[in-house]
Amino acid sequence: ILNNHTGFQAQAGSPLRKGNFDLLCNLCTQASVHRLLKGFREAGEAKEVSYRWLSEFYADRVEEYFDGDQPYGRADDFLEELLLSSPSLI
């Protein structure tokens, strides 16, 4: 989803730079989900279904994609799963 343009430079970036970039992507993804959930909650009944679905989707996957030491690209994996899923509530 995001391009790391440092990879195209003559001198490759350090593993520390790659790790920091990945942590920043994870943090931004998680913060975006939190902001969406807050907006849906504040919208009340108009966004109740969206709030419930995203809240359950996120809660079911937060440990898998965001908690602890994660391999590179987990934010991208989360977004891919989110985009490939069909919203449904039971």
Side-chain angles (χ1 to χ4, degrees):
I1 292 178
L2 297 174
N3 292 323
N4 184 356
H5 295 289
T6 59
F8 295 109
Q9 295 175 354
Q11 185 177 7
S14 71
L16 182 60
R17 177 178 288 163
K18 185 176 180 181
N20 286 342
F21 179 80
D22 192 63
L23 284 173
L24 182 61
C25 288
N26 282 352
L27 178 62
C28 289
T29 302
Q30 204 167 16
S32 296
V33 171
H34 287 216
R35 182 172 288 195
L36 274 171
L37 287 171
K38 181 181 177 192
F40 289 163
R41 187 180 62 236
E42 290 173 353
E45 198 172 313
K47 293 288 185 177
E48 181 181 350
V49 173
S50 297
Y51 173 79
R52 285 184 48 213
W53 181 82
L54 183 58
S55 180
E56 289 176 15
F57 182 89
Y58 176 68
D60 290 345
R61 291 160 181 82
V62 70
E63 187 176 320
E64 178 182 354
Y65 290 106
F66 299 106
D67 286 353
D69 189 24
Q70 297 286 336
Y72 291 129
R74 294 306 280 165
D76 290 338
D77 295 340
F78 175 81
L79 291 174
E80 181 178 6
E81 186 174 348
L82 176 68
L83 292 172
L84 292 175
S85 64
S86 298
S88 63
L89 290 174
I90 298 175

